[in-house]
Amino acid sequence: MSARAPGPLPPGLHHYPLRLDPGEQATLLQGIRDVVAKAPLYRPRMPGSGRQFSVRMTNCGALGWVSDAGGYRYQPVHPETGEPWPPIPDMLLALWAELSDYAHPPEACLVNFYEAGARMGLHQDKDETDLDAPVLSVSLGDEALFRIGGTERGGPTRSLRLSSGDVLVMGGPSRLVFHGIDRIYPGTSTLLKGEGRINLTLRRVTRP
Ligand code: MD6
Ligand code: FE
């Protein structure tokens, strides 16, 4: 399959283009600015190589995803400030209630900020104990090329362009598929003050 092959998405992966209209995107962006004011973006390091991610991150919710020499994990406080993560904005909780098909609220929202050259390598989201819940993601700002494969590393992949206001739900048979961001397209959105892209991923971490 070519990287840009069209056609249906794998079962369990749902793409809702422009699920948030521009007004909703602006409201959510303000909520994320409030989060970042309390829990500053920082650049985590990979556990093995110690290299820094090109993406800057922070979190909101009871738990936040972090990565450092100790590995990947969820923890209740910001690794640099030691403060608890701020709460998840209401609009995100409402989206989860509407689209996740899962009876319990999310515990973690990872905030990823991509500047012009940033990318995210192919990975699986598997640091959560509860894999019955989907991962729900919201994109804000510049467009991005999202690559999606199967549950085995090295298998065929396809790409999906994600735009500001798009929502992606990855669950069921797609919960553990490999995925990543090949690149962003700077200047394709005017939502942010400058170039860049924000991606928010909502997760349930523990079993209810
Ligand atoms: C991104 N997204 O869009 C990275 N993971 O910047 C993810 O890694 C992701 O969008 C799980 C489910 C949905 C996602
Ligand atoms: Fe992911």
Side-chain angles (χ1 to χ4, degrees):
M1 198 188 292
S2 91
R4 302 299 300 271
L9 295 173
L13 182 70
H14 301 279
H15 181 207
Y16 302 90
L18 206 63
R19 178 63 185 69
L20 301 182
D21 68 32
E24 292 170 323
Q25 293 173 39
T27 301
L28 179 55
L29 178 61
Q30 187 53 53
I32 297 305
R33 288 201 173 115
D34 294 343
V35 166
V36 169
K38 291 185 210 133
L41 289 165
Y42 71 102
R43 209 181 285 280
R45 290 182 182 274
M46 320 232 179
S49 64
R51 280 184 47 199
Q52 286 190 307
F53 283 79
S54 58
V55 177
R56 287 190 291 156
M57 300 184 183
T58 188
N59 290 271
C60 47
L63 293 170
W65 186 87
V66 301
S67 173
D68 60 20
Y72 302 139
R73 65 186 176 279
Y74 284 91
Q75 65 178 42
V77 296
H78 191 293
E80 293 185 351
T81 68
E83 295 289 325
W85 305 106
I88 298 175
D90 286 342
M91 189 185 297
L92 292 175
L93 297 176
L95 263 183
W96 174 272
E98 190 175 335
L99 298 179
S100 71
D101 195 26
Y102 189 79
H104 304 276
E107 296 171 292
C109 174
L110 174 64
V111 179
N112 287 149
F113 179 73
Y114 296 74
E115 9 185 331
R119 54 184 301 278
M120 172 135 358
L122 279 179
H123 66 276
Q124 290 171 298
D125 285 30
K126 57 175 187 186
D127 301 317
E128 302 75 29
T129 307
D130 187 351
L131 295 173
D132 294 337
V135 179
L136 184 155
S137 94
V138 182
S139 294
L140 294 174
D142 284 334
E143 291 174 14
L145 191 61
F146 185 79
R147 181 180 295 274
I148 173 129
T151 53
E152 309 269 335
R153 192 180 276 285
T157 63
R158 57 164 293 176
S159 300
L160 196 64
R161 199 152 160 146
L162 294 179
S163 301
S164 196
D166 286 11
V167 174
L168 208 57
V169 179
M170 191 182 282
S174 284
R175 178 63 179 75
L176 289 175
V177 297
F178 280 89
H179 58 279
I181 294 289
D182 287 349
R183 59 163 300 185
I184 74 162
Y185 297 93
T188 49
S189 166
T190 55
L191 181 71
L192 307 189
K193 282 178 187 141
E195 292 177 346
R197 170 175 182 263
I198 295 170
N199 179 258
L200 311 167
T201 41
L202 290 166
R203 303 100 185 281
R204 179 78 200 186
V205 178
T206 66
R207 295 196 164 277

